[in-house]
Amino acid sequence: MTVRRPFPLSHGTTTLGFIFQGGVIAAADTRASAGGLVACPAVNKITPIHSHLVVTSSGSGADCMLWERILGREIRLYQLRHRRCLSIRGTAKLLSFMLHPFKGTDVCVALTLCGWDKSGPKLIYVCSDGARLQGDIFSVGSGSPYAYGVLDGRLRWNLSKEEAVSLAREAVFRATHRDAYSGNNVDLFHITAQGWSQRKREELKEEYYRDMERRAKTVEKGKRETVLDALG
Amino acid sequence: MALQDLCNLQEVFPDTGHSQFGKRSYSESCFSGSSSDPFTFCIPAAEFLEQSPLQFGQGSSAFTSQDLLLSSLSWPPGLPQDSPQSVPLPFPMSHGTTTLAFLFQGGVLAAADTRSSCSGLVACPASQKVLPIHSHMVGTTSGTSADCALWKRILARELRLYQLRHGRRLSTGGAAKLLSHMLHPFKGSELCVAATLCGWDGGDLDQDQQPTQGGARPDPSHPVSQSSVNAQQSSGRTRSSGPSLYYVCSDGTRLQGSLFSVGSGSPYAYSILDQGVRWGLTLQEATSVAREAVYRATHRDAYSGNCVDVFHVSSAGWSRRSREDLREEYYRERERRERERRESE
């Protein structure tokens, strides 16, 4: 009924969010791809909605931007009318119902709402297919399997904030290393009862070079030992 | 020959009579046309397209275990269906498995899960995806189980023939090239084989009993090391020895590398392997990284699961770790997290 897509959209991105004892961490890469072209290497995939809620986006960039703005407007209207903040679960439900009329069309939006409300830290995944899931760990996008591998192994409830941040960074880094549609930088947000705070955007090229150097050193060492063994 | 009789090659090729084990190289026999050559099944597939009664596509998803392959031996071996567009695949085949292999100082480590799936059904929870080819080489399989099992056998036979003719084992790179050229006529058909060949390239057969401490073997072409190196080494071409890893795929890819993971669960495994694999790992560390990678993949991927097989190839040959059910690992981890959660509260 609509224009056929030239290629199957595969949510070319890596975003992730998880809950731990110190709150919620949301991390994402910053590459916007259009087929094989890197349309923009420095996109914001994590958008704050209000002081205690950020949204990570995946899917079609334009759709996500629009729906984030719509969601922000609706939340603000609710706040003005009812003099209180809507809970994260309510926000997710609202978003899901707003997206419902577009189910079956080409709207492609997969958002993870990461926030803190009266009931504590919350992480809810909302998708334009109609899925609305609450959980402790979500990763969305083409790079998500790579991130899941890292997160599943090392995520614990009682991580410190530094460990959690470094785990999220490592997961995004591994995904950008293997996935062609993720890359460039990593954005990181941390949400606590006091609100969200953003870590400085970090370029992964440096991390990659550090990693390569470390490996080159161990390979060199290994090779030297091999030669010594052969001669000795 | 055993495999030839098994596959009833005489019926299919009535003009071939007894095999001619001449000195011609394998690639010659591949392109020699329809002469009376026993290995004509590898010539361009045009001749066989009319002959094949075998239905690929819809029906092939039922052939998912090695036992099933052996029990249906009446069909002519390995002949593909005419054109891929005749029978549309019911779902995009995605190599529902997790296999991985990497090089390290102690040799090559290969690991795989054991689930054979058939679009939603777990056809066999205890299949073997890492198959030994000869004493110093194993291959991991991904794709259609039946195709992989057959081609592994064919490859093993060809390598054994090479060993008998030339007195030395073919290198892993050579085996990869051989497999790739054997699969080439089937390119474009629904044959689906994605294998990684993990082997240790050594010297002559009589150097197999070298004592090793798990380090690298001395290079046999080094003039100082082996006085027992005989004239077979004097061809002037230096042969590298040591661990070697190649990825061969039925669409024609042939890649050398130090780390490969194949299958639907491979992204999950890749991130663990990228973190943990270094040249200087001990065997124990390497095994635990491989196990962890397969476990993470089976945790998230629906088409991988059940148990994990770990094989290690070193200069002394391949050795196999006993198969481990990952369910236990899952329960242990769950208990550990419960305990941590309780402690932190």
Side-chain angles (χ1 to χ4, degrees), chain A residues 146 152 154-156 215, chain B residues 271 274-275 277 337 340:
Chain A
Y146 307 99
D152 283 339
R154 306 226 306 249
L155 183 59
R156 306 258 179 281
R215 276 165 200 282
Chain B
S271 50
D274 283 340
Q275 277 184 309
V277 167
R337 284 176 197 265
E340 281 172 7

Side-chain angles (χ1 to χ4, degrees), chain B residues 65-132:
Chain B
S65 77
Q66 210 162 351
D67 298 325
L68 215 53
L69 169 70
L70 291 174
S71 65
S72 56
L73 288 173
S74 52
W75 47 266
L79 304 177
Q81 181 74 19
D82 173 10
S83 55
Q85 54 263 29
S86 53
V87 180
L89 287 175
F91 57 92
M93 303 258 275
S94 70
H95 303 223
T97 185
T98 306
T99 69
L100 60 93
F102 58 87
L103 300 178
F104 70 113
Q105 55 82 18
V108 194
L109 207 75
D113 72 311
T114 61
R115 175 176 289 183
S116 282
S117 55
C118 175
S119 80
L121 166 70
V122 176
C124 176
S127 55
Q128 193 175 352
K129 298 192 190 182
V130 185
L131 303 171

Side-chain angles (χ1 to χ4, degrees), chain B residues 2-24:
Chain B
L3 186 58
Q4 201 168 357
D5 293 332
L6 211 57
C7 301
N8 300 320
L9 266 180
Q10 309 303 346
E11 291 175 336
V12 179
F13 307 111
D15 53 332
T16 58
H18 284 299
S19 30
Q20 298 272 353
F21 292 140
K23 293 269 195 312
R24 18 189 337 186

Side-chain angles (χ1 to χ4, degrees), chain A residues 15 17-18 20 33 53-54 67 82 97 103 143 149 171 188 192 200 203 213 221:
Chain A
T15 70
F18 59 84
F20 70 114
S33 52
L53 174 63
V54 306
W67 283 102
H82 300 89
F97 288 176
K103 187 172 150 83
L188 225 145
T192 57
K200 193 158 101 69
E203 197 171 0
E213 263 188 49
K221 193 158 152 304

